Amino acid sequence: MNVNNNVNLKPFHTFGIDMPCDVLVEATTIEDIMAVYRNPEWESLPKLILGKGSNVLFTEPFHGVVIINQLLGKSITVEEDGILLTVSGGEDWPSLVEWSLEQGLSGLENLAMIPGCAGSAPIQNIGAYGVEFKDVCSYVDYVDLTTFKRVRLSAEECRFDYRDSIFKHELLGRVMIVEVGLKLPTTWAPTLTYGPLKADKDLLTTPREVFDLVCDIRGTKLPDPQVTGNAGSFFKNPIISSESFQTLQALYPELTGYPVTDGVKIAAGWLIDRCGLKGHQIGGAQVHPQQALVIVNVGEATATDILELAWFIKLAVKDKYGVELEHEVRFFDSQQETRLEAIFAQSQPFSH
């Protein structure tokens, strides 16, 4: 366990913004995690478990203990009804997907290049190109941070939903995910129903070809956080009622949607783009010129720059389309998780 005080979090989150924390712990074992929570010196301090920092924004200096999940290890078990891939929570997700293909396994190829670690994947129920984490999840193991008992949840018990799970609700701040079990097929069962994969489905005959195409698409559409600071898709694709969708489509015939259980899912990037916000900049924060769903750090952006730009986007989309955008990126203030609406609850609209 590596412990340091007054650490700049810039290298530990993909927005790459200068923001200090009081204590930073790099944990490589479950025992390290327990030691942090049992340390009497830190008992009263807020604690935040961080993976790759690919979906977070620190809005203020964090006056507590940030714990970096560095639990590593993975194994393959052949079972009667498929392949079980056992993965420790700190494993890098993009590397895991590529490694699985190298082992001759399929099922994760649509989820290529999603930044983050395996332990973060269930929290967000990550997804791309027609596949979500819940589709490959067998179980999630966590350590209860009060009792220090290890608990296993089935995929059903995780209550996965669109970019959501039980880990954002009842278990928020109470557990640390230490392992995930992924159930993969023994024979390839491709999912080629989404966007460009559907268009090229006749050419995609192997998992590797799907993986390569997904990587090519993501590499073209999304900025590399190692080059330009960002947290990927900033806003969720909103789900609106069928009636609201029909009303909007009558006004904007080019609007498309995907039917889901609760209504129709529409593209947040399309809404932002049609508000003319590609390239819009506040301070060092910018709406990416090629992908309106991404906010990038184009040069020494502050957290305030990003927050103001996100709020401006939210207000613009609400004003033009009557649609409420919800941020996918998780915000943390000096002590706990917060939301954009809470930060600007007393603020007036910006005029940027």
Side-chain angles (χ1 to χ4, degrees):
M1 180 169 68
N2 188 24
V3 181
N4 289 284
N5 297 320
N6 193 28
V7 176
N8 187 348
L9 291 168
K10 184 174 182 176
F12 296 97
H13 67 126
T14 57
F15 259 123
I17 292 173
D18 288 306
M19 194 66 76
C21 70
D22 289 354
V23 183
L24 186 133
V25 176
E26 296 175 77
T28 58
T29 67
I30 294 176
E31 289 69 29
D32 289 345
I33 309 302
M34 295 179 180
V36 171
Y37 282 83
R38 286 172 171 158
N39 188 327
E41 295 182 18
W42 299 336
E43 183 177 2
S44 63
L45 294 179
K47 298 172 185 69
L48 171 63
I49 296 168
L50 197 63
K52 301 296 181 180
S54 59
N55 196 50
V56 301
L57 175 67
F58 291 96
T59 66
E60 301 174 14
F62 190 77
H63 294 309
V65 184
V66 174
I67 306 155
I68 306 298
N69 184 348
Q70 294 186 342
L71 305 180
L72 302 178
K74 50 188 182 290
S75 64
I76 300 169
T77 304
V78 179
E79 300 183 333
E80 290 185 4
D81 57 345
I83 308 294
L84 180 65
L85 192 55
T86 302
V87 187
S88 294
E91 288 285 345
D92 179 67
W93 183 266
S95 300
L96 171 68
V97 174
E98 188 160 16
W99 176 84
S100 70
L101 286 170
E102 292 169 354
Q103 310 310 305
L105 304 177
S106 63
L108 301 181
E109 57 276 359
N110 293 50
L111 302 175
M113 285 184 69
I114 298 178
C117 64
S120 304
I123 299 172
Q124 286 290 107
N125 185 28
I126 60 171
Y129 301 103
V131 176
E132 292 182 316
F133 181 84
K134 69 176 182 180
D135 300 321
V136 295
C137 178
S138 174
Y139 66 83
V140 175
D141 280 4
Y142 68 78
V143 169
D144 186 302
L145 298 174
T146 302
T147 65
F148 302 114
K149 291 181 179 179
R150 183 163 174 157
V151 179
R152 174 164 296 185
L153 296 182
S154 66
E156 183 178 359
E157 290 171 322
C158 290
R159 298 217 317 268
F160 292 122
D161 203 345
Y162 175 57
R163 301 299 175 267
D164 202 13
S165 69
I166 193 172
F167 303 105
K168 284 189 172 185
H169 300 283
E170 293 97 315
L171 299 183
L172 178 65
R174 295 172 49 196
V175 305
M176 176 175 178
I177 295 173
V178 296
E179 182 180 290
V180 298
L182 306 176
K183 201 58 174 286
L184 306 181
T186 51
T187 57
W188 187 39
T191 300
L192 306 175
T193 57
Y194 193 91
L197 301 191
K198 183 177 182 180
D200 290 337
K201 64 179 181 179
D202 294 334
L203 303 176
L204 301 173
T205 59
T206 67
R208 172 60 71 167
E209 289 174 348
V210 175
F211 172 85
D212 289 342
L213 178 58
V214 170
C215 290
D216 182 61
I217 295 168
R218 291 184 70 92
T220 301
K221 290 175 58 178
L222 301 172
D224 184 348
Q226 295 185 1
V227 178
T228 306
N230 73 91
S233 299
F234 199 94
F235 294 99
K236 296 180 182 181
N237 289 325
I239 296 173
I240 61 177
S241 69
S242 298
E243 293 76 16
S244 295
F245 175 73
Q246 291 170 5
T247 299
L248 276 177
Q249 197 174 45
L251 295 171
Y252 308 99
E254 67 274 25
L255 174 67
T256 58
Y258 298 89
V260 294
T261 304
D262 300 328
V264 180
K265 183 189 294 183
I266 58 177
W270 186 92
L271 299 172
I272 299 167
D273 184 8
R274 295 312 188 275
C275 285
L277 295 178
K278 275 185 178 177
H280 190 80
Q281 188 166 337
I282 295 177
Q286 182 189 51
V287 179
H288 193 267
Q290 278 76 50
Q291 175 50 268
L293 197 53
V294 179
I295 293 177
V296 292
N297 176 359
V298 293
E300 302 304 320
T302 65
T304 300
D305 293 340
I306 292 171
L307 291 169
E308 290 195 2
L309 181 55
W311 187 245
F312 182 77
I313 293 168
K314 182 178 172 69
L315 293 179
V317 170
K318 175 67 173 178
D319 181 62
K320 183 169 183 177
Y321 295 104
V323 175
E324 290 279 0
L325 290 184
E326 181 182 354
H327 52 92
E328 183 173 328
V329 174
R330 302 177 68 189
F331 298 165
F332 293 91
D333 61 21
S334 63
Q335 295 190 316
Q336 61 192 354
E337 188 164 3
T338 185
R339 298 197 57 76
L340 190 63
E341 295 78 9
I343 294 170
F344 289 107
Q346 306 301 320
S347 300
Q348 295 300 313
F350 293 98
S351 58
H352 297 284

